Amino acid sequence: MLIRVIILMATLFIAIHAHADNKEELARENRLLERELSLAKKSNLYFVFDLKEKTIWIKAQGVILKKFPIYDMRVWGSSLPCDSLVLEKKSTFVKPRRKSMKPAKHEEKENVEIQALELDDMPSRYTLVLDKRVYVSVKPHKGLLSKSGNAASSLKNAICRPFMAFWFAVRGKPYTAIDIFLEKGDAKALYWSFQEGTKSILYPEESPEL
């Protein structure tokens, strides 16, 4: 009888906490939806990273302009902020640059072709540095070079990311690092279109069960 009472109390305790967690997650999702609604009321582009649906959306006034499927991802650190996040900078090992241009002679001026940066010039491996210490590392998920690069990156992250998450947790500061694997062309397009100062919404991987 005593054992049954203990089991019943333990089950009730777990159910209460699960219900509280679901309420908290539901409230978090509602706050994010409110933030997205406020962005949709403006004419500016904004980006939605839906980790549960594994999709990145480019939107304007609530209209979907482009979507990028996420093939794989990994998350470290604290939970995502319940707010829109601003892109502070895009960090990459090799930044895209225009090809060097030689000044043309006077008689050749009419034939000068300006070489602008194209989509193919964009990197496919980089980190999006958002405010509130949220770092989204974008990587290509196919190709021999991509696999070797991802393997080296995974080994580095397996050592560094848990340490960074622990370090900021001890100091009581937020820190979230996300690895996202996209098609190479989609990764370049995301870099091209996501400009510094642009706002984004990040929906967490888990969502409440109603």
Side-chain angles (χ1 to χ4, degrees):
M1 182 66 181
L2 179 59
I3 295 176
R4 290 182 179 180
V5 171
I6 294 174
I7 293 175
L8 180 60
M9 291 179 64
T11 303
L12 182 60
F13 177 81
I14 294 172
I16 291 173
H17 278 265
H19 180 66
D21 289 341
N22 283 342
K23 287 182 65 177
E24 183 179 347
E25 291 295 329
L26 182 59
R28 174 186 293 272
E29 186 168 333
N30 286 338
R31 286 195 293 270
L32 288 171
L33 288 171
E34 290 174 358
R35 298 298 185 275
E36 183 177 349
L37 179 60
S38 66
L39 294 180
K41 292 179 180 179
K42 302 176 182 179
S43 59
N44 298 334
L45 287 177
Y46 63 94
F47 289 71
V48 177
F49 292 76
D50 192 331
L51 303 186
K52 184 176 184 295
E53 298 297 329
K54 292 189 175 181
T55 306
I56 301 172
W57 313 87
I58 303 179
K59 293 185 177 183
Q61 295 183 326
V63 178
I64 298 172
L65 304 178
K66 185 72 176 176
K67 69 175 182 178
F68 306 121
I70 299 173
Y71 288 87
D72 195 11
M73 64 183 176
R74 303 185 186 98
V75 182
W76 290 268
S78 53
S79 59
L80 291 168
C82 301
D83 204 349
S84 58
L85 301 175
V86 177
L87 177 63
E88 295 183 342
K89 67 177 182 177
K90 294 178 284 189
S91 177
T92 180
F93 184 71
V94 179
K95 292 187 177 181
R97 295 180 179 178
R98 288 194 181 97
K99 297 178 181 178
S100 59
M101 298 171 59
K102 295 181 180 179
K105 296 180 180 179
H106 178 72
E107 62 271 14
E108 297 176 346
K109 278 188 177 180
E110 293 183 358
N111 297 323
V112 173
E113 293 183 3
I114 298 176
Q115 296 176 339
L117 289 170
E118 301 292 342
L119 183 60
D120 287 341
D121 299 320
M122 299 297 108
S124 59
R125 185 183 296 272
Y126 51 88
T127 298
L128 302 171
V129 181
L130 307 175
D131 60 337
K132 297 180 174 64
R133 291 192 186 86
V134 177
Y135 304 87
V136 180
S137 295
V138 179
K139 311 170 191 293
H141 88 290
K142 282 186 178 180
L144 182 60
L145 292 177
S146 297
K147 289 181 179 179
S148 59
N150 291 340
S153 178
S154 296
L155 179 60
K156 177 183 176 183
N157 289 340
I159 299 172
C160 296
R161 294 285 174 79
F163 173 78
M164 293 294 293
F166 174 76
W167 172 251
F168 280 107
V170 168
R171 298 171 64 190
K173 296 183 178 181
Y175 168 82
T176 307
I178 306 170
D179 283 349
I180 287 178
F181 297 85
L182 305 176
E183 286 279 5
K184 188 174 182 180
D186 289 346
K188 291 186 174 187
L190 179 62
Y191 187 97
W192 173 278
S193 54
F194 202 0
Q195 300 299 317
E196 293 179 4
T198 303
K199 292 187 177 181
S200 61
I201 296 288
L202 278 72
Y203 289 99
E205 187 175 2
E206 298 296 332
S207 64
E209 297 180 3
L210 301 178

